[in-house]
Amino acid sequence: MDEKRKDKRLEISVEVQLERLDKEDITTLKYAHVNVTDVSKGGIGFETGVELENDSTYECKIRIWSGETLDTIIKIVRITRGENNNYHYGAIFVGMNDTDASKIEIYRMFNEL
């Protein structure tokens, strides 16, 4: 299978909170507990038992290794059904500032040394 990602992903353990953003400003999912499988400066992969919609957007708070919380917006672009009724999602960052994206990339580079 051809690799479609433009940024190299890093397997990492981080804490994530998701809050759905709807057009009507109604929050349909306050917080979802997810298990992050990988992250890059361009996106994030995670698993959860909660069913999310493709092309939906979420406010995402990512608590990283340094203790900081990165605030961003993600868009779900890929969904696969996994084991134990879990779903695996691929999402792109559509609202992450360059400084926060650089923190992820620097961490990835140091872990490759």
Side-chain angles (χ1 to χ4, degrees):
M1 184 156 94
D2 293 331
E3 178 63 55
K4 295 181 182 179
R5 296 177 182 144
K6 67 179 184 176
D7 298 308
K8 192 168 184 179
R9 296 264 171 144
L10 172 68
E11 292 181 14
I12 191 166
S13 176
V14 294
E15 185 177 308
V16 174
Q17 293 179 346
L18 298 178
E19 184 174 347
R20 176 136 184 199
L21 301 176
D22 289 331
K23 293 179 183 173
E24 297 84 25
D25 292 328
I26 298 171
T27 301
T28 56
L29 180 67
K30 194 64 172 176
Y31 293 105
H33 297 285
V34 305
N35 297 317
V36 175
T37 56
D38 53 75
V39 66
S40 75
K41 68 179 184 176
I44 189 167
F46 60 92
E47 293 180 342
T48 183
V50 178
E51 187 174 359
L52 307 175
E53 295 177 31
N54 203 24
D55 291 326
S56 56
T57 56
Y58 296 84
E59 181 179 350
C60 182
K61 296 182 183 299
I62 305 170
R63 186 178 172 115
I64 60 173
W65 49 90
S66 66
E68 295 175 82
T69 299
L70 308 181
D71 292 315
T72 187
I73 305 295
I74 63 169
K75 180 179 179 181
I76 304 295
V77 294
R78 184 180 45 79
I79 304 170
T80 56
R81 189 75 185 248
E83 298 177 15
N84 302 325
N85 292 324
N86 278 339
Y87 298 88
H88 188 271
Y89 297 96
I92 58 172
F93 296 126
V94 293
M96 180 177 281
N97 66 48
D98 291 339
T99 302
D100 288 345
S102 294
K103 290 175 186 176
I104 293 171
E105 184 63 14
I106 289 167
Y107 186 80
R108 183 194 62 78
M109 290 183 335
F110 278 112
N111 279 291
E112 287 184 345
L113 297 178

